């Protein structure tokens, strides 16, 4: 079993599972992932009907190559087991990944992993076909994030949930994903974000940021997305079609960064093999083995996004 941690997840669009109209609209949008929500965007009395709509939507139709995800209800709720069984049995061939919310201990992931394994066997799907994204969104989950990130080979990504997290730690703000007014210490989310990122990378997983709820505040959204992209995250949730373009742009590699990464790789190869030097100067900057590692990451991102080089290295005469 090997999880797919190479899927593009720059923008992950939340769509209430109880709204067939929003689901139909989501098919044609430019988000990398669509997740049909059975959890907090669906009222308790609408859960069963939403499950049926989501199954129907997955089975019928073209999602244009997007990652097809469903957020089920949390492992501590009475809805969760039926969410998994009905979804995986009835739409398991058309479902890429389950988003598990409110993961506060590794056992939540283990439970989902085992249940999916049983259903895959019974249905004759390939083992490990359905992946897992784990939402880290409370104090317990963040404290256990390293164990959670290692809990299943199905895990593809860790996802920060700012709304539930803000509630869990008592942050004094009602603006989801925005900096709390009055906080004077820099980025209020730096600690959970970096902690999630390190746990994800230590286990070969992607790291995804959660929503920015003020859908008309495009500047605020772009600031939040650019900041978390600079930190190293792979993508961010979007709650509205109008948020997709800015978020895709924030997580797409830039041409200048890609060119520079390829130049560093080429120059470093030249200096180490032809000139047999471990460190050298490139355009006024020292490059060495650590620069090569950093450049490999940026070059891989650019190549995966289909960028082409616009410069090449010429050794100084
Ligand atoms: C998302 O689930 C959040 O709690 O922010
Ligand atoms: Mg949440």
């Amino acid at each position: 079993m090997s999880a797919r941690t190479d899927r593009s997840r720059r923008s992950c669009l939340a769509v209430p599972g109880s709204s067939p109209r929003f689901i139909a609209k989501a098919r044609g949008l430019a988000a990398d992932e669509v997740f049909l929500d059975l959890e907090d965007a669906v009222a308790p009395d609408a859960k069963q009907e939403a499950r049926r709509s989501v199954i129907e939507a997955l089975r019928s139709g073209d999602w244009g190559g997007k990652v097809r995800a469903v957020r089920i209800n949390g492992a501590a709720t009475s809805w969760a087991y039926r969410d998994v069984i009905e979804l995986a049995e009835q739409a398991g061939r058309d479902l890429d990944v389950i988003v598990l919310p409110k993961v506060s201990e590794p056992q939540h992931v283990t439970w989902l992993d085992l249940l999916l394994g049983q259903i895959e066997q019974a249905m004759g799907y390939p083992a490990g076909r359905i992946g897992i994204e784990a939402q880290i969104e409370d104090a317990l989950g963040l404290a256990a994030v390293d164990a959670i990130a290692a809990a299943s080979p199905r895990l593809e990504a860790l996802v920060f949930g700012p709304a539930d997290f803000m509630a869990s730690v008592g942050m004094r703000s009602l603006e989801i994903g925005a900096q709390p007014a009055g906080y004077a210490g820099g980025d209020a989310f730096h600690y959970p974000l970096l902690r999630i990122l390190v746990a994800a990378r230590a286990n070969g997983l992607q790291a995804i940021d959660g929503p920015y709820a003020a859908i008309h505040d495009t500047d605020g959204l772009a600031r939040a997305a650019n900041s978390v992209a600079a930190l190293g995250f792979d993508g961010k949730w979007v709650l509205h079609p109008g948020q997709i373009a800015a978020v895709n742009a924030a997580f797409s590699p830039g041409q200048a960064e890609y060119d520079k990464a390829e130049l560093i790789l080429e120059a470093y190869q030249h200096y180490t093999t032809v000139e047999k030097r471990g460190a050298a100067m490139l355009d006024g900057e020292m490059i060495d083995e650590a620069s090569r590692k950093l450049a490999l990451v940026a070059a891989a991102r650019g190549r995966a996004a289909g960028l082409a080089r616009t410069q090449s290295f010429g050794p100084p005469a």
Side-chain angles (χ1 to χ4, degrees):
M1 188 196 292
S2 66
R4 296 280 315 278
T5 53
D6 58 347
R7 305 189 208 261
S8 186
R9 288 188 166 94
R10 294 170 307 169
S11 52
C12 304
L13 176 66
V15 182
S18 48
S19 168
R21 188 168 67 86
F22 286 156
I23 295 178
K25 184 160 184 212
R27 287 184 198 275
L29 297 175
D32 289 346
E33 172 177 307
V34 168
F35 76 86
L36 307 176
D37 194 11
L38 297 177
E39 201 220 15
D40 283 355
V42 176
D45 287 349
K47 297 272 186 199
Q48 289 193 18
E49 181 59 34
R51 209 187 271 147
R52 279 192 290 274
S53 301
V54 163
I55 289 168
E56 174 60 25
L58 289 169
R59 291 169 61 115
S60 64
D62 183 11
W63 288 90
K66 297 183 214 344
V67 180
R68 298 158 302 176
V70 174
R71 178 165 73 165
I72 61 169
N73 289 282
T77 70
S78 61
W79 296 295
Y81 75 102
R82 279 201 194 282
D83 285 345
V84 182
I85 292 169
E86 291 185 22
L87 260 178
E89 280 189 352
Q90 297 173 40
R93 288 192 173 79
D94 303 297
L95 172 66
D96 298 313
V97 69
I98 286 182
V99 181
L100 184 60
K102 300 184 177 59
V103 179
S104 54
E105 49 181 275
Q107 286 80 356
H108 290 181
V109 175
T110 313
W111 161 76
L112 180 55
D113 177 290
L114 285 171
L115 185 52
L116 284 173
Q118 293 160 7
I119 299 168
E120 283 167 351
Q121 272 190 58
M123 299 299 295
Y125 306 151
R129 145 124 202 57
I130 301 170
I132 300 175
E133 296 178 19
Q135 275 193 280
I136 304 298
E137 47 183 356
D138 62 11
L140 271 176
L142 192 64
V145 70
D146 296 313
I148 290 169
S152 162
R154 283 179 201 275
L155 277 169
E156 300 187 7
L158 300 182
V159 182
F160 179 50
D164 278 298
F165 182 80
M166 290 159 78
S168 163
V169 300
M171 226 179 240
R172 295 198 173 182
S173 169
L174 295 171
E175 291 167 27
I176 298 166
Q179 295 297 315
Y183 180 64
D187 179 354
F189 299 111
H190 182 71
Y191 174 73
L193 288 172
L194 200 56
R195 191 138 183 212
I196 288 169
L197 181 63
V198 169
R201 296 298 188 242
N203 291 279
L205 309 182
Q206 293 182 330
I208 308 297
D209 189 21
Y212 188 88
I215 53 175
H216 299 299
D217 178 10
T218 41
D219 291 348
L221 170 73
R223 240 190 335 273
N226 285 319
S227 171
V228 84
L231 194 62
F233 271 58
D234 301 287
K236 180 168 177 63
W237 278 15
V238 289
L239 301 178
H240 186 270
Q243 294 186 317
I244 295 174
V247 169
N248 280 349
F251 292 94
S252 296
Q255 184 68 43
E257 182 197 7
Y258 172 64
D259 275 331
K260 182 169 176 182
E262 293 283 15
L263 272 187
I264 291 173
L265 293 178
E266 212 179 350
Y268 187 71
Q269 169 79 3
H270 169 82
Y271 286 119
T272 49
T273 58
V274 179
E275 300 192 16
K276 312 254 186 278
R277 291 158 54 192
M281 292 299 286
L282 179 70
D283 294 335
E285 279 178 43
M286 261 272 297
I287 58 168
D288 66 3
E289 175 58 21
S291 327
R292 185 187 71 88
K293 289 209 182 77
L294 208 47
L296 273 177
V297 175
R301 273 197 191 116
R303 289 175 202 165
L307 293 185
R309 296 185 62 173
T310 62
Q311 292 172 28
S312 61
F313 170 70

